[in-house]
Amino acid sequence: MFCDVNDRGRDPQSIRLPDDDDVFRNLSKAKRFAIDIGGSLTKIAYYSTVPVRRALYSMSSGDEGSKSDEDTSYEVAVKERLHFIKFETKYIESCLNFIQSNLVNASDNSYGKTIKATGGGAYKYTELIMSKLGLKVDREDELRCLIKGCNFLLKNIPNEVFIYQRQQNPQYKFQNVEPNVFPYLLVNIGSGVSIMKVESEEKYERIGGSSLGGGTFWGLGSLLTKARNFDELLQLANRGDHRNVDMLVKDIYEIGRASCRERV
């Protein structure tokens, strides 16, 4: 989800609640916020309570198929749900205005509570967040958040590890992960690129990186194409074929792919 702000300073059009209420769903019932403010994109995660209606079925004998909706009773349960949003960092003030009008002005507001923040912008925009949302900003180390989040996904979320080959069918080949996921290399591609060696929950180090990353992709894409935002650039990249512009091993040896694999 991205923010396109017009010259009149109104709320970005792309963060208006759509008909299916997917964007900023249950914002007025949000319980906890976390924000990652990068050089190009800002990511917000929050969890809120969601009412869920469940049908109650009787265990008594009888023809269940003959029952109508009028004969079915329901109960409403409250569950927690995570929500994730992203937008361009340069529009952060307009997005915070939108959140403020939908969260702080709600009956159950979040004044006096804390928002976890990381990324370089966690320092730059601390006062802006506090003034807009009335939340105390608790800054967290970016690399530590990244490592702990990755460890959690690897250990708890099925099908989180896979090999992606765009020209193959299927494109995704999921891998089984052992209980002990260490050691591993983590390549974090943001505005720049960082490479971390992770040896345990607490032992990790940055071993390399590059200033060429998402920011470079965005900048060159904006100059070379008519894309208006990051989403459009990703759509264009998905339709393209990197083999038409990248130098491959076969270009160096001027031989077929099979022979290249044998030589490599």
Side-chain angles (χ1 to χ4, degrees):
M1 186 276 298
F2 291 85
C3 305
D4 297 324
V5 182
N6 54 34
D7 295 335
R8 298 180 182 179
R10 294 182 297 180
D11 291 333
Q13 295 182 358
S14 58
I15 62 174
R16 291 176 181 172
L17 291 177
D19 294 337
D20 58 2
D21 197 25
D22 278 339
V23 179
F24 285 112
R25 179 181 293 177
N26 304 304
L27 183 61
S28 61
K29 297 181 181 179
K31 301 299 181 182
R32 183 172 299 176
F33 273 82
I35 186 169
D36 177 8
I37 309 175
S40 303
L41 299 177
T42 292
K43 288 74 67 178
I44 294 179
Y46 68 93
Y47 90 89
S48 62
T49 55
V50 181
V52 178
R53 192 177 73 159
R54 297 186 300 184
L56 299 177
Y57 299 97
S58 173
M59 298 300 292
S60 61
S61 60
D63 185 5
E64 297 293 336
S66 63
K67 287 187 176 182
S68 65
D69 291 340
E70 296 179 356
D71 299 324
T72 305
S73 59
Y74 297 89
E75 71 173 4
V76 177
V78 176
K79 293 187 177 181
E80 291 79 23
R81 178 174 295 173
L82 277 172
H83 304 266
F84 300 92
I85 305 160
K86 67 179 183 295
F87 55 86
E88 298 176 25
T89 297
K90 63 182 179 180
Y91 299 135
I92 187 170
E93 184 169 1
S94 296
C95 291
L96 290 177
N97 285 337
F98 182 88
I99 296 175
Q100 194 269 350
S101 63
N102 285 270
L103 174 66
V104 175
N105 291 339
S107 57
D108 183 18
N109 62 61
S110 296
Y111 262 103
K113 298 182 181 179
T114 300
I115 180 172
K116 294 285 187 178
T118 189
Y123 294 86
K124 182 178 180 179
Y125 297 107
T126 294
E127 293 186 3
L128 178 64
I129 296 173
M130 293 177 64
S131 64
K132 294 291 185 181
L133 303 183
L135 300 174
K136 179 182 177 181
V137 178
D138 187 4
R139 293 190 290 264
E140 298 284 349
D141 179 74
E142 185 173 3
L143 291 184
R144 182 175 177 83
C145 291
L146 180 65
I147 299 299
K148 292 181 73 69
C150 188
N151 290 342
F152 176 83
L153 292 176
L154 291 175
K155 293 181 177 181
N156 296 280
I157 309 300
N159 295 334
E160 190 63 28
V161 179
F162 55 86
I163 297 174
Y164 175 72
Q165 295 175 301
R166 183 177 177 185
Q167 280 76 33
Q168 301 296 320
N169 187 18
Q171 292 181 327
Y172 296 90
K173 294 183 179 180
F174 294 96
Q175 310 293 303
N176 293 325
V177 180
E178 298 180 358
N180 182 16
V181 300
F182 308 107
Y184 65 86
L185 287 178
L186 174 60
V187 180
N188 182 43
I189 304 176
S191 296
V193 177
S194 292
I195 304 175
M196 273 79 67
K197 178 183 178 183
V198 185
E199 299 185 67
S200 69
E201 292 283 355
E202 301 296 333
K203 186 178 180 181
Y204 53 86
E205 62 176 327
R206 187 179 187 274
I207 60 175
S210 171
S211 60
L212 303 180
T216 305
F217 166 73
W218 195 345
L220 290 176
S222 299
L223 293 173
L224 297 174
T225 72
K226 297 180 180 180
R228 294 171 296 177
N229 55 45
F230 201 76
D231 263 351
E232 291 185 9
L233 281 176
L234 293 180
Q235 293 171 5
L236 290 174
N238 189 51
R239 297 202 301 266
D241 189 340
H242 74 95
R243 295 174 298 181
N244 294 329
V245 293
D246 287 349
M247 177 175 288
L248 308 177
V249 175
K250 70 171 185 176
D251 299 320
I252 300 175
Y253 286 93
E254 295 185 351
I255 54 179
R257 290 186 179 180
S259 298
C260 285
R261 292 194 186 98
E262 293 174 1
R263 289 175 179 266
V264 174

